[in-house]
Amino acid sequence: MERIDTELGVFELDGSFCKKRLKAELRGMELLCSIINSTPVWSFNFTTGRPFLSSNDDGPTILIDIFQCMRRSLIEHDPHLAIYMSREPVCILKDRNNVDTPATDSIVSLVLLGIAGWPQNSTPATLAEKAIMCYGAEQFGDLSELLPSDYGEIQTALHLYEEGFVHEGISVLAQMARRWYVCRCWGFVKIQETLGPILQRLEENEIDNYLRHPDEESDALFLTV
């Protein structure tokens, strides 16, 4: 067992690891600490006996187990970060193109996303609920009855739309609306009120074009602005 003194406490490692990679992790930690100390969006939480990062903004709370991220990278060579949303684990991978990037650098990137307000095009799909609740709260209104899968589909639809795949993006919203109607027994008014703020981000003529050639004829019942 090796014990390493860090800015965030004693970091223990109980396996073989590369000293050079450890130094890179510690450099990344220094940058991480400097960023956290300059923003109210994140804070360190030591209540469990080891350092966590905790989000302080709107939407579900994000927790990042810093030492576990480092341990996975150094000992297990696991590219997954140890991250929780509303205390449930979420799958976040380091950039596949930079597998040797220190875990602390990847944490910094996630922290900067939070400071930027969780922009939808950059936030990982597994954190879609966080992105929409924070970045789109004023635009979308009350989305409190939606499930995590719904947030993911909304993020997918908007991403497709913004990338120029207009028909495909609207189709995702229509599929979701049909599922709400059939599986959750939502009425037309409730579906239209929920989709309304999202559809207002689209051009009206683009919705009209979709409805001329919809994937399902019933889509016209849901896609009204």
Side-chain angles (χ1 to χ4, degrees), residues 28-47:
M29 182 186 292
E30 291 178 5
L31 175 60
L32 176 64
C33 290
S34 67
I35 294 172
I36 299 305
N37 291 334
S38 65
T39 178
V41 176
W42 296 89
S43 60
F44 290 116
N45 184 327
F46 296 91
T47 56

Side-chain angles (χ1 to χ4, degrees), residues 1-14:
M1 175 75 70
E2 184 159 351
R3 296 165 59 88
I4 300 101
D5 289 323
T6 77
E7 293 185 57
L8 299 177
V10 177
F11 176 45
E12 297 183 345
L13 289 172
D14 55 0

Side-chain angles (χ1 to χ4, degrees), residues 57-103:
D57 49 9
D58 294 330
T61 300
I62 304 298
L63 290 174
I64 304 175
D65 188 337
I66 301 169
F67 281 179
Q68 181 63 7
C69 291
M70 294 168 61
R71 184 174 293 107
R72 284 181 178 178
S73 179
L74 290 167
I75 302 296
E76 303 169 21
H77 305 289
D78 184 347
H80 292 84
L81 299 178
I83 297 178
Y84 303 82
M85 181 167 65
S86 298
R87 298 191 178 278
E88 293 294 327
V90 293
C91 179
I92 303 290
L93 283 168
K94 294 192 297 182
D95 188 340
R96 294 180 183 274
N97 296 322
N98 296 288
V99 292
D100 290 329
T101 300

Side-chain angles (χ1 to χ4, degrees), residues 211-222:
L211 292 176
R212 291 191 186 98
H213 305 283
D215 291 355
E216 295 285 345
E217 291 298 327
S218 62
D219 289 352
L221 299 171
F222 309 110

